[in-house]
Amino acid sequence: MAEHSKADTTRRNFMMAAGSSLVAATAAGAAPLAPPDRQPPKLTLPGPKPKKMGWAIVGLGKLALEEVLPAFSVSEKCVPVALVSGHPEKAKKVADRYGIDPKNIYDYQAFDQIAQNKAVDVVYIILPNSMHAEYTIRGVRAGKHVLCEKPMAASVAECEQMIAAATQADRKLMIANRIGYEPLNRAAFDMAHKKEFGAVRMIESSNVQNVQAPNIRLSKKLAGGPVGDVGIYCIQAARYALNEDPIEVFGQAFSNPADERFREVPETVVFTMRFPSGVLANCGVSFSGEPSRRYRVFCEKGWIEMNPSFSYRGLRLYTGNEKSSQEHLLTAANHFALEMDHFAECIENNKTPRTPGEEGLRDMRVVEAIMESVAAGKPVRIGASA
Ligand code: NDP
């Protein structure tokens, strides 16, 4: 065992040499490389954790349970503190899972009592569309800021009432227009604004999913239907890419008469939007096809495409021309945490959110005009004040 290879000897010699030079360096006052022989002169530690904003989740359906509540775990500024539900047993289980005090569970009748709950700063309305206006108005009157899911409401008139109620109560109102916060979509809109491929000539967008009954989306009474539900993403993609609102729309609908799901709302709607710059957008939405969510912004010298564009995860941004195309990568982020943190920051700093009630109203003017056009069978102008 006493035999050393030449390589070992060489290494030992090197280490001894290195050790002696370390001693020499320390003696001469130079800092040792590692480990540190002194503690840092000043400890740099983050300040105390800021208090997170308390949120009440109103309606414990699919979106609330599968996306919004889990998103709090990655939110920097928000914490769920209260639940509003028509199903107390479910609400208790959810409260237990998220460490919410069961005293902070309300049903819809008792919702206004949330006014006395100091732990709640914001209420997040995740109810059927027909209930958005009522619960937003009750929320702001209870002294809470409100984040309301899309579509903002069932009609333009309801949107106006919601905005007026928030103004009167001096509370902030934000509409959860997700793609206005998601980084890849924002990068796509930015490229269009900067005319990276020249001026926008045309936009094409579609949003298709296969909705199974029973579902709030299939109910007229609950303000379901594909245009407000999935079409609103196509409307927003075009509006945000152009920074304009459409001045005219033309919609056509089809429903398979043999399909029971489409007794109350259309199955498929195809619509065009004309913008003040002259750009036309061609969109298609359906509740009875393989999921597909995409848009392409056709420009003078290339195109910008998101596919998928409106999903919660796995979004992809491409640009290209006839000869080549490339994908653009950005770090993925949780859309719901982004929205909630943005709203919390606006409340903290008294700023207007990027998508306030007025944005939801703009979308709703378009949704309403498309449905009017479908019923009338001809194009519908959207008022100059829109
Ligand atoms: P769900 O049907 O899954 O949930 C709706 C919840 O509302 C129910 O679970 C129920 O909660 C409550 N509710 C109260 N009254 C009624 C009623 N009369 N009928 C049915 N439900 C009622 O819908 P989603 O979660 O899919 O959608 C909710 C909202 O979120 C919609 O406005 C939708 O447009 C929006 N949404 C937004 C998305 C986005 O990406 N931003 C994606 C998906 C939906 P409880 O049992 O607790 O009372």
Side-chain angles (χ1 to χ4, degrees):
M1 296 298 290
E3 263 187 41
H4 296 293
S5 69
K6 194 171 173 217
D8 275 348
T9 316
T10 312
R11 191 169 67 237
R12 205 169 49 246
N13 290 346
F14 166 76
M15 290 173 78
M16 284 169 68
S20 56
S21 63
L22 188 68
V23 170
T26 311
L33 293 177
D37 63 344
R38 277 168 287 178
Q39 294 304 309
K42 269 196 280 172
L43 268 186
T44 42
L45 293 174
K49 270 193 179 173
K51 189 184 160 294
K52 288 192 171 184
M53 220 157 260
W55 287 60
I57 301 301
V58 187
L60 301 179
K62 196 167 161 58
L63 180 69
L65 296 177
E66 294 180 12
E67 299 295 334
V68 173
L69 280 159
F72 281 101
S73 68
V74 289
S75 157
E76 284 174 20
K77 294 174 178 286
C78 309
V79 62
V81 295
L83 302 173
V84 183
S85 172
H87 294 94
E89 285 311 312
K90 172 174 67 177
K92 273 193 207 108
K93 279 191 201 154
V94 176
D96 187 43
R97 167 62 185 77
Y98 287 96
I100 296 169
D101 187 337
K103 285 204 300 285
N104 293 346
I105 296 175
Y106 301 83
D107 62 20
Y108 298 110
Q109 289 69 39
F111 174 62
D112 308 277
Q113 291 170 15
I114 215 156
Q116 278 84 55
N117 192 333
K118 296 230 168 355
V120 177
D121 302 295
V122 187
V123 300
Y124 189 172
I125 311 297
I126 320 182
L127 292 166
N129 306 339
S130 59
M131 299 170 75
H132 290 185
E134 178 188 343
Y135 284 84
T136 293
I137 293 169
R138 286 169 69 179
V140 292
R141 287 187 181 155
K144 308 302 177 186
H145 303 286
V146 173
L147 175 60
C148 178
E149 260 309 328
K150 49 54 61 178
M152 180 169 171
S155 66
V156 166
E158 282 188 353
C159 296
E160 287 167 345
Q161 288 158 19
M162 291 157 82
I163 293 168
T167 307
Q168 201 174 21
D170 194 21
R171 296 292 86 183
K172 292 196 189 296
L173 170 59
M174 171 173 147
I175 309 305
N177 287 358
R178 208 157 40 82
I179 61 166
Y181 298 88
E182 190 282 315
L184 281 168
N185 276 288
R186 283 172 62 77
F189 303 142
D190 199 43
M191 287 177 194
H193 301 162
K194 289 183 177 145
K195 296 189 168 47
E196 286 192 14
F197 303 93
V200 177
R201 294 300 193 216
M202 181 179 83
I203 297 174
E204 197 186 73
S205 180
S206 48
N207 198 352
V208 175
Q209 59 184 45
N210 204 344
V211 175
Q212 298 306 321
N215 195 302
I216 57 168
R217 289 162 185 77
L218 302 174
S219 161
K220 190 173 177 184
K221 191 167 146 239
L222 299 179
V227 178
D229 187 59
V230 286
I232 208 154
Y233 293 91
C234 307
I235 294 168
Q236 287 166 10
R239 286 185 49 234
Y240 294 166
L242 295 170
N243 263 342
E244 294 176 43
D245 291 319
I247 49 172
E248 186 183 69
V249 296
F250 186 19
Q252 295 190 77
F254 169 77
S255 301
N256 177 355
D259 195 329
E260 288 280 294
R261 292 178 294 172
F262 305 113
R263 278 185 312 216
E264 299 184 14
V265 301
E267 175 182 349
T268 298
V269 179
V270 169
F271 57 93
T272 55
M273 296 184 281
R274 180 187 298 281
F275 288 85
S277 57
V279 174
L280 292 168
N282 189 29
C283 306
V285 295
S286 180
F287 272 170
S288 69
E290 176 69 10
S292 173
R293 306 167 174 103
R294 48 176 283 279
Y295 62 85
R296 185 179 263 205
V297 180
F298 297 87
C299 309
E300 277 172 297
K301 293 178 220 146
W303 45 259
I304 306 159
E305 177 165 309
M306 288 284 305
N307 186 8
S309 49
F310 311 131
S311 315
Y312 303 134
R313 283 165 275 276
L315 304 191
R316 315 289 286 261
L317 167 62
Y318 306 93
T319 55
N321 55 33
E322 206 179 11
K323 297 198 183 78
S324 65
S325 64
Q326 60 169 316
E327 181 171 6
H328 301 257
L329 301 174
L330 286 176
T331 308
N334 182 298
H335 304 186
F336 297 93
L338 285 176
E339 287 180 314
M340 293 191 294
D341 284 344
H342 172 82
F343 196 35
E345 204 219 312
C346 290
I347 294 166
E348 271 167 14
N349 300 308
N350 195 22
K351 289 193 306 200
T352 303
R354 197 178 298 143
T355 55
E358 287 76 3
E359 269 298 302
L361 170 62
R362 286 194 182 100
D363 288 334
M364 191 48 59
R365 283 193 173 118
V366 183
V367 171
E368 225 175 60
I370 292 167
M371 294 319 292
E372 195 187 321
S373 166
V374 167
K378 58 181 188 192
V380 166
R381 300 277 303 174
I382 302 178
S385 62

PDB file of all heavy atoms in Angstrom, residues 243-271:
ATOM      1  N   ASN A 243     -54.448  48.072 -30.536  1.00  0.00           N
ATOM      2  CA  ASN A 243     -54.748  49.211 -29.655  1.00  0.00           C
ATOM      3  C   ASN A 243     -55.899  50.041 -30.225  1.00  0.00           C
ATOM      4  O   ASN A 243     -55.869  51.269 -30.222  1.00  0.00           O
ATOM      5  CB  ASN A 243     -53.518  50.112 -29.470  1.00  0.00           C
ATOM      6  CG  ASN A 243     -52.786  49.771 -28.194  1.00  0.00           C
ATOM      7  OD1 ASN A 243     -53.349  49.131 -27.305  1.00  0.00           O
ATOM      8  ND2 ASN A 243     -51.535  50.189 -28.100  1.00  0.00           N
ATOM      9  N   GLU A 244     -56.877  49.336 -30.751  1.00  0.00           N
ATOM     10  CA  GLU A 244     -58.057  49.999 -31.316  1.00  0.00           C
ATOM     11  C   GLU A 244     -59.296  49.189 -30.925  1.00  0.00           C
ATOM     12  O   GLU A 244     -59.189  48.003 -30.617  1.00  0.00           O
ATOM     13  CB  GLU A 244     -57.998  50.000 -32.850  1.00  0.00           C
ATOM     14  CG  GLU A 244     -56.896  50.814 -33.474  1.00  0.00           C
ATOM     15  CD  GLU A 244     -56.904  50.645 -35.000  1.00  0.00           C
ATOM     16  OE1 GLU A 244     -57.989  50.664 -35.606  1.00  0.00           O
ATOM     17  OE2 GLU A 244     -55.817  50.457 -35.562  1.00  0.00           O
ATOM     18  N   ASP A 245     -60.447  49.841 -31.017  1.00  0.00           N
ATOM     19  CA  ASP A 245     -61.718  49.144 -30.811  1.00  0.00           C
ATOM     20  C   ASP A 245     -62.444  49.029 -32.141  1.00  0.00           C
ATOM     21  O   ASP A 245     -62.429  49.976 -32.928  1.00  0.00           O
ATOM     22  CB  ASP A 245     -62.598  49.931 -29.831  1.00  0.00           C
ATOM     23  CG  ASP A 245     -62.019  49.892 -28.435  1.00  0.00           C
ATOM     24  OD1 ASP A 245     -61.535  48.821 -28.029  1.00  0.00           O
ATOM     25  OD2 ASP A 245     -62.024  50.937 -27.756  1.00  0.00           O
ATOM     26  N   PRO A 246     -63.092  47.883 -32.385  1.00  0.00           N
ATOM     27  CA  PRO A 246     -63.786  47.736 -33.673  1.00  0.00           C
ATOM     28  C   PRO A 246     -64.936  48.725 -33.827  1.00  0.00           C
ATOM     29  O   PRO A 246     -65.566  49.101 -32.834  1.00  0.00           O
ATOM     30  CB  PRO A 246     -64.292  46.292 -33.652  1.00  0.00           C
ATOM     31  CG  PRO A 246     -64.235  45.849 -32.248  1.00  0.00           C
ATOM     32  CD  PRO A 246     -63.229  46.696 -31.540  1.00  0.00           C
ATOM     33  N   ILE A 247     -65.189  49.109 -35.080  1.00  0.00           N
ATOM     34  CA  ILE A 247     -66.290  50.040 -35.347  1.00  0.00           C
ATOM     35  C   ILE A 247     -67.472  49.335 -36.015  1.00  0.00           C
ATOM     36  O   ILE A 247     -68.552  49.880 -36.110  1.00  0.00           O
ATOM     37  CB  ILE A 247     -65.826  51.231 -36.225  1.00  0.00           C
ATOM     38  CG1 ILE A 247     -65.052  50.715 -37.451  1.00  0.00           C
ATOM     39  CG2 ILE A 247     -64.968  52.195 -35.418  1.00  0.00           C
ATOM     40  CD1 ILE A 247     -64.739  51.790 -38.463  1.00  0.00           C
ATOM     41  N   GLU A 248     -67.227  48.101 -36.468  1.00  0.00           N
ATOM     42  CA  GLU A 248     -68.319  47.359 -37.112  1.00  0.00           C
ATOM     43  C   GLU A 248     -68.042  45.861 -36.980  1.00  0.00           C
ATOM     44  O   GLU A 248     -66.881  45.438 -37.061  1.00  0.00           O
ATOM     45  CB  GLU A 248     -68.392  47.716 -38.597  1.00  0.00           C
ATOM     46  CG  GLU A 248     -69.590  47.098 -39.302  1.00  0.00           C
ATOM     47  CD  GLU A 248     -69.579  47.433 -40.788  1.00  0.00           C
ATOM     48  OE1 GLU A 248     -68.698  46.918 -41.504  1.00  0.00           O
ATOM     49  OE2 GLU A 248     -70.452  48.182 -41.225  1.00  0.00           O
ATOM     50  N   VAL A 249     -69.099  45.096 -36.770  1.00  0.00           N
ATOM     51  CA  VAL A 249     -68.940  43.634 -36.684  1.00  0.00           C
ATOM     52  C   VAL A 249     -70.015  42.956 -37.533  1.00  0.00           C
ATOM     53  O   VAL A 249     -71.071  43.535 -37.790  1.00  0.00           O
ATOM     54  CB  VAL A 249     -69.054  43.124 -35.220  1.00  0.00           C
ATOM     55  CG1 VAL A 249     -67.934  43.655 -34.358  1.00  0.00           C
ATOM     56  CG2 VAL A 249     -70.411  43.460 -34.619  1.00  0.00           C
ATOM     57  N   PHE A 250     -69.721  41.721 -37.930  1.00  0.00           N
ATOM     58  CA  PHE A 250     -70.702  40.924 -38.674  1.00  0.00           C
ATOM     59  C   PHE A 250     -70.558  39.476 -38.213  1.00  0.00           C
ATOM     60  O   PHE A 250     -69.474  38.890 -38.318  1.00  0.00           O
ATOM     61  CB  PHE A 250     -70.427  41.045 -40.182  1.00  0.00           C
ATOM     62  CG  PHE A 250     -71.476  40.364 -41.045  1.00  0.00           C
ATOM     63  CD1 PHE A 250     -72.741  40.048 -40.562  1.00  0.00           C
ATOM     64  CD2 PHE A 250     -71.197  40.056 -42.372  1.00  0.00           C
ATOM     65  CE1 PHE A 250     -73.694  39.439 -41.354  1.00  0.00           C
ATOM     66  CE2 PHE A 250     -72.150  39.437 -43.190  1.00  0.00           C
ATOM     67  CZ  PHE A 250     -73.400  39.129 -42.678  1.00  0.00           C
ATOM     68  N   GLY A 251     -71.620  38.922 -37.659  1.00  0.00           N
ATOM     69  CA  GLY A 251     -71.542  37.560 -37.131  1.00  0.00           C
ATOM     70  C   GLY A 251     -72.555  36.634 -37.767  1.00  0.00           C
ATOM     71  O   GLY A 251     -73.649  37.049 -38.162  1.00  0.00           O
ATOM     72  N   GLN A 252     -72.177  35.378 -37.872  1.00  0.00           N
ATOM     73  CA  GLN A 252     -73.107  34.343 -38.330  1.00  0.00           C
ATOM     74  C   GLN A 252     -72.971  33.137 -37.404  1.00  0.00           C
ATOM     75  O   GLN A 252     -71.857  32.839 -36.948  1.00  0.00           O
ATOM     76  CB  GLN A 252     -72.761  33.901 -39.745  1.00  0.00           C
ATOM     77  CG  GLN A 252     -72.935  34.990 -40.764  1.00  0.00           C
ATOM     78  CD  GLN A 252     -72.813  34.431 -42.169  1.00  0.00           C
ATOM     79  OE1 GLN A 252     -73.733  33.802 -42.683  1.00  0.00           O
ATOM     80  NE2 GLN A 252     -71.666  34.644 -42.768  1.00  0.00           N
ATOM     81  N   ALA A 253     -74.094  32.463 -37.155  1.00  0.00           N
ATOM     82  CA  ALA A 253     -74.053  31.349 -36.197  1.00  0.00           C
ATOM     83  C   ALA A 253     -74.611  30.080 -36.818  1.00  0.00           C
ATOM     84  O   ALA A 253     -75.415  30.118 -37.752  1.00  0.00           O
ATOM     85  CB  ALA A 253     -74.872  31.718 -34.962  1.00  0.00           C
ATOM     86  N   PHE A 254     -74.172  28.970 -36.262  1.00  0.00           N
ATOM     87  CA  PHE A 254     -74.734  27.678 -36.656  1.00  0.00           C
ATOM     88  C   PHE A 254     -74.893  26.814 -35.402  1.00  0.00           C
ATOM     89  O   PHE A 254     -74.003  26.783 -34.542  1.00  0.00           O
ATOM     90  CB  PHE A 254     -73.807  26.945 -37.639  1.00  0.00           C
ATOM     91  CG  PHE A 254     -74.230  25.521 -37.857  1.00  0.00           C
ATOM     92  CD1 PHE A 254     -75.314  25.231 -38.682  1.00  0.00           C
ATOM     93  CD2 PHE A 254     -73.592  24.465 -37.202  1.00  0.00           C
ATOM     94  CE1 PHE A 254     -75.741  23.918 -38.862  1.00  0.00           C
ATOM     95  CE2 PHE A 254     -74.018  23.147 -37.380  1.00  0.00           C
ATOM     96  CZ  PHE A 254     -75.097  22.882 -38.220  1.00  0.00           C
ATOM     97  N   SER A 255     -76.030  26.125 -35.301  1.00  0.00           N
ATOM     98  CA  SER A 255     -76.213  25.132 -34.236  1.00  0.00           C
ATOM     99  C   SER A 255     -76.814  23.878 -34.855  1.00  0.00           C
ATOM    100  O   SER A 255     -77.816  23.969 -35.589  1.00  0.00           O
ATOM    101  CB  SER A 255     -77.174  25.643 -33.156  1.00  0.00           C
ATOM    102  OG  SER A 255     -76.689  26.815 -32.589  1.00  0.00           O
ATOM    103  N   ASN A 256     -76.215  22.761 -34.544  1.00  0.00           N
ATOM    104  CA  ASN A 256     -76.764  21.488 -35.024  1.00  0.00           C
ATOM    105  C   ASN A 256     -78.091  21.246 -34.311  1.00  0.00           C
ATOM    106  O   ASN A 256     -78.106  21.078 -33.091  1.00  0.00           O
ATOM    107  CB  ASN A 256     -75.755  20.376 -34.708  1.00  0.00           C
ATOM    108  CG  ASN A 256     -76.269  19.007 -35.099  1.00  0.00           C
ATOM    109  OD1 ASN A 256     -77.425  18.863 -35.519  1.00  0.00           O
ATOM    110  ND2 ASN A 256     -75.412  18.013 -34.969  1.00  0.00           N
ATOM    111  N   PRO A 257     -79.214  21.236 -35.045  1.00  0.00           N
ATOM    112  CA  PRO A 257     -80.515  21.104 -34.384  1.00  0.00           C
ATOM    113  C   PRO A 257     -80.660  19.779 -33.631  1.00  0.00           C
ATOM    114  O   PRO A 257     -81.470  19.675 -32.712  1.00  0.00           O
ATOM    115  CB  PRO A 257     -81.532  21.208 -35.527  1.00  0.00           C
ATOM    116  CG  PRO A 257     -80.766  21.192 -36.791  1.00  0.00           C
ATOM    117  CD  PRO A 257     -79.311  21.333 -36.504  1.00  0.00           C
ATOM    118  N   ALA A 258     -79.866  18.780 -34.008  1.00  0.00           N
ATOM    119  CA  ALA A 258     -79.978  17.474 -33.344  1.00  0.00           C
ATOM    120  C   ALA A 258     -79.158  17.426 -32.049  1.00  0.00           C
ATOM    121  O   ALA A 258     -79.240  16.456 -31.300  1.00  0.00           O
ATOM    122  CB  ALA A 258     -79.501  16.385 -34.297  1.00  0.00           C
ATOM    123  N   ASP A 259     -78.368  18.460 -31.815  1.00  0.00           N
ATOM    124  CA  ASP A 259     -77.512  18.448 -30.613  1.00  0.00           C
ATOM    125  C   ASP A 259     -78.199  19.218 -29.488  1.00  0.00           C
ATOM    126  O   ASP A 259     -78.329  20.440 -29.540  1.00  0.00           O
ATOM    127  CB  ASP A 259     -76.144  19.071 -30.952  1.00  0.00           C
ATOM    128  CG  ASP A 259     -75.103  18.773 -29.891  1.00  0.00           C
ATOM    129  OD1 ASP A 259     -75.493  18.650 -28.708  1.00  0.00           O
ATOM    130  OD2 ASP A 259     -73.923  18.660 -30.239  1.00  0.00           O
ATOM    131  N   GLU A 260     -78.634  18.474 -28.475  1.00  0.00           N
ATOM    132  CA  GLU A 260     -79.388  19.028 -27.338  1.00  0.00           C
ATOM    133  C   GLU A 260     -78.653  20.155 -26.626  1.00  0.00           C
ATOM    134  O   GLU A 260     -79.262  21.009 -25.998  1.00  0.00           O
ATOM    135  CB  GLU A 260     -79.627  17.905 -26.309  1.00  0.00           C
ATOM    136  CG  GLU A 260     -80.640  16.881 -26.726  1.00  0.00           C
ATOM    137  CD  GLU A 260     -82.044  17.390 -26.485  1.00  0.00           C
ATOM    138  OE1 GLU A 260     -82.387  17.573 -25.308  1.00  0.00           O
ATOM    139  OE2 GLU A 260     -82.766  17.620 -27.473  1.00  0.00           O
ATOM    140  N   ARG A 261     -77.326  20.137 -26.716  1.00  0.00           N
ATOM    141  CA  ARG A 261     -76.548  21.133 -25.965  1.00  0.00           C
ATOM    142  C   ARG A 261     -76.826  22.553 -26.438  1.00  0.00           C
ATOM    143  O   ARG A 261     -76.630  23.504 -25.698  1.00  0.00           O
ATOM    144  CB  ARG A 261     -75.038  20.858 -26.125  1.00  0.00           C
ATOM    145  CG  ARG A 261     -74.564  19.590 -25.471  1.00  0.00           C
ATOM    146  CD  ARG A 261     -73.088  19.386 -25.739  1.00  0.00           C
ATOM    147  NE  ARG A 261     -72.801  19.156 -27.147  1.00  0.00           N
ATOM    148  CZ  ARG A 261     -71.579  19.101 -27.674  1.00  0.00           C
ATOM    149  NH1 ARG A 261     -70.532  19.296 -26.911  1.00  0.00           N
ATOM    150  NH2 ARG A 261     -71.402  18.873 -28.964  1.00  0.00           N
ATOM    151  N   PHE A 262     -77.278  22.659 -27.703  1.00  0.00           N
ATOM    152  CA  PHE A 262     -77.352  24.009 -28.282  1.00  0.00           C
ATOM    153  C   PHE A 262     -78.787  24.475 -28.493  1.00  0.00           C
ATOM    154  O   PHE A 262     -79.112  25.123 -29.474  1.00  0.00           O
ATOM    155  CB  PHE A 262     -76.503  24.056 -29.561  1.00  0.00           C
ATOM    156  CG  PHE A 262     -75.084  23.617 -29.269  1.00  0.00           C
ATOM    157  CD1 PHE A 262     -74.581  22.432 -29.791  1.00  0.00           C
ATOM    158  CD2 PHE A 262     -74.286  24.348 -28.397  1.00  0.00           C
ATOM    159  CE1 PHE A 262     -73.295  22.003 -29.474  1.00  0.00           C
ATOM    160  CE2 PHE A 262     -73.000  23.922 -28.072  1.00  0.00           C
ATOM    161  CZ  PHE A 262     -72.508  22.744 -28.615  1.00  0.00           C
ATOM    162  N   ARG A 263     -79.645  24.164 -27.504  1.00  0.00           N
ATOM    163  CA  ARG A 263     -81.025  24.651 -27.549  1.00  0.00           C
ATOM    164  C   ARG A 263     -81.083  26.135 -27.186  1.00  0.00           C
ATOM    165  O   ARG A 263     -81.935  26.869 -27.620  1.00  0.00           O
ATOM    166  CB  ARG A 263     -81.891  23.862 -26.553  1.00  0.00           C
ATOM    167  CG  ARG A 263     -82.359  22.529 -27.082  1.00  0.00           C
ATOM    168  CD  ARG A 263     -83.283  21.883 -26.107  1.00  0.00           C
ATOM    169  NE  ARG A 263     -82.716  21.910 -24.746  1.00  0.00           N
ATOM    170  CZ  ARG A 263     -82.869  20.935 -23.854  1.00  0.00           C
ATOM    171  NH1 ARG A 263     -83.562  19.882 -24.157  1.00  0.00           N
ATOM    172  NH2 ARG A 263     -82.342  21.032 -22.654  1.00  0.00           N
ATOM    173  N   GLU A 264     -80.151  26.563 -26.304  1.00  0.00           N
ATOM    174  CA  GLU A 264     -80.257  27.933 -25.766  1.00  0.00           C
ATOM    175  C   GLU A 264     -79.163  28.869 -26.263  1.00  0.00           C
ATOM    176  O   GLU A 264     -79.332  30.081 -26.261  1.00  0.00           O
ATOM    177  CB  GLU A 264     -80.215  27.879 -24.230  1.00  0.00           C
ATOM    178  CG  GLU A 264     -81.357  27.078 -23.656  1.00  0.00           C
ATOM    179  CD  GLU A 264     -81.369  27.105 -22.132  1.00  0.00           C
ATOM    180  OE1 GLU A 264     -80.669  27.939 -21.535  1.00  0.00           O
ATOM    181  OE2 GLU A 264     -82.088  26.280 -21.562  1.00  0.00           O
ATOM    182  N   VAL A 265     -78.003  28.317 -26.595  1.00  0.00           N
ATOM    183  CA  VAL A 265     -76.895  29.178 -27.058  1.00  0.00           C
ATOM    184  C   VAL A 265     -76.371  28.591 -28.370  1.00  0.00           C
ATOM    185  O   VAL A 265     -76.507  27.388 -28.605  1.00  0.00           O
ATOM    186  CB  VAL A 265     -75.737  29.250 -26.019  1.00  0.00           C
ATOM    187  CG1 VAL A 265     -76.227  29.782 -24.682  1.00  0.00           C
ATOM    188  CG2 VAL A 265     -75.055  27.897 -25.850  1.00  0.00           C
ATOM    189  N   PRO A 266     -75.788  29.425 -29.237  1.00  0.00           N
ATOM    190  CA  PRO A 266     -75.274  28.873 -30.490  1.00  0.00           C
ATOM    191  C   PRO A 266     -74.095  27.940 -30.259  1.00  0.00           C
ATOM    192  O   PRO A 266     -73.351  28.081 -29.285  1.00  0.00           O
ATOM    193  CB  PRO A 266     -74.845  30.105 -31.286  1.00  0.00           C
ATOM    194  CG  PRO A 266     -75.026  31.288 -30.428  1.00  0.00           C
ATOM    195  CD  PRO A 266     -75.610  30.874 -29.124  1.00  0.00           C
ATOM    196  N   GLU A 267     -73.943  27.024 -31.189  1.00  0.00           N
ATOM    197  CA  GLU A 267     -72.820  26.078 -31.136  1.00  0.00           C
ATOM    198  C   GLU A 267     -71.537  26.743 -31.671  1.00  0.00           C
ATOM    199  O   GLU A 267     -70.489  26.714 -31.028  1.00  0.00           O
ATOM    200  CB  GLU A 267     -73.184  24.865 -32.008  1.00  0.00           C
ATOM    201  CG  GLU A 267     -72.088  23.853 -32.169  1.00  0.00           C
ATOM    202  CD  GLU A 267     -72.515  22.720 -33.095  1.00  0.00           C
ATOM    203  OE1 GLU A 267     -73.717  22.611 -33.435  1.00  0.00           O
ATOM    204  OE2 GLU A 267     -71.648  21.919 -33.482  1.00  0.00           O
ATOM    205  N   THR A 268     -71.675  27.365 -32.840  1.00  0.00           N
ATOM    206  CA  THR A 268     -70.518  27.957 -33.518  1.00  0.00           C
ATOM    207  C   THR A 268     -70.878  29.359 -33.993  1.00  0.00           C
ATOM    208  O   THR A 268     -71.983  29.562 -34.512  1.00  0.00           O
ATOM    209  CB  THR A 268     -70.139  27.088 -34.740  1.00  0.00           C
ATOM    210  OG1 THR A 268     -69.782  25.784 -34.268  1.00  0.00           O
ATOM    211  CG2 THR A 268     -68.988  27.687 -35.525  1.00  0.00           C
ATOM    212  N   VAL A 269     -69.975  30.297 -33.790  1.00  0.00           N
ATOM    213  CA  VAL A 269     -70.183  31.655 -34.321  1.00  0.00           C
ATOM    214  C   VAL A 269     -68.902  32.089 -35.030  1.00  0.00           C
ATOM    215  O   VAL A 269     -67.802  31.916 -34.502  1.00  0.00           O
ATOM    216  CB  VAL A 269     -70.535  32.676 -33.204  1.00  0.00           C
ATOM    217  CG1 VAL A 269     -70.711  34.077 -33.801  1.00  0.00           C
ATOM    218  CG2 VAL A 269     -71.793  32.253 -32.451  1.00  0.00           C
ATOM    219  N   VAL A 270     -69.074  32.603 -36.228  1.00  0.00           N
ATOM    220  CA  VAL A 270     -67.946  33.179 -36.975  1.00  0.00           C
ATOM    221  C   VAL A 270     -68.247  34.665 -37.101  1.00  0.00           C
ATOM    222  O   VAL A 270     -69.374  35.048 -37.394  1.00  0.00           O
ATOM    223  CB  VAL A 270     -67.811  32.498 -38.351  1.00  0.00           C
ATOM    224  CG1 VAL A 270     -66.826  33.259 -39.231  1.00  0.00           C
ATOM    225  CG2 VAL A 270     -67.336  31.053 -38.174  1.00  0.00           C
ATOM    226  N   PHE A 271     -67.250  35.493 -36.791  1.00  0.00           N
ATOM    227  CA  PHE A 271     -67.513  36.943 -36.884  1.00  0.00           C
ATOM    228  C   PHE A 271     -66.295  37.695 -37.407  1.00  0.00           C
ATOM    229  O   PHE A 271     -65.156  37.250 -37.231  1.00  0.00           O
ATOM    230  CB  PHE A 271     -67.963  37.517 -35.536  1.00  0.00           C
ATOM    231  CG  PHE A 271     -67.010  37.307 -34.388  1.00  0.00           C
ATOM    232  CD1 PHE A 271     -66.048  38.273 -34.072  1.00  0.00           C
ATOM    233  CD2 PHE A 271     -67.072  36.177 -33.593  1.00  0.00           C
ATOM    234  CE1 PHE A 271     -65.183  38.099 -33.003  1.00  0.00           C
ATOM    235  CE2 PHE A 271     -66.203  35.985 -32.528  1.00  0.00           C
ATOM    236  CZ  PHE A 271     -65.265  36.946 -32.228  1.00  0.00           C
TER     237      PHE A 271
END
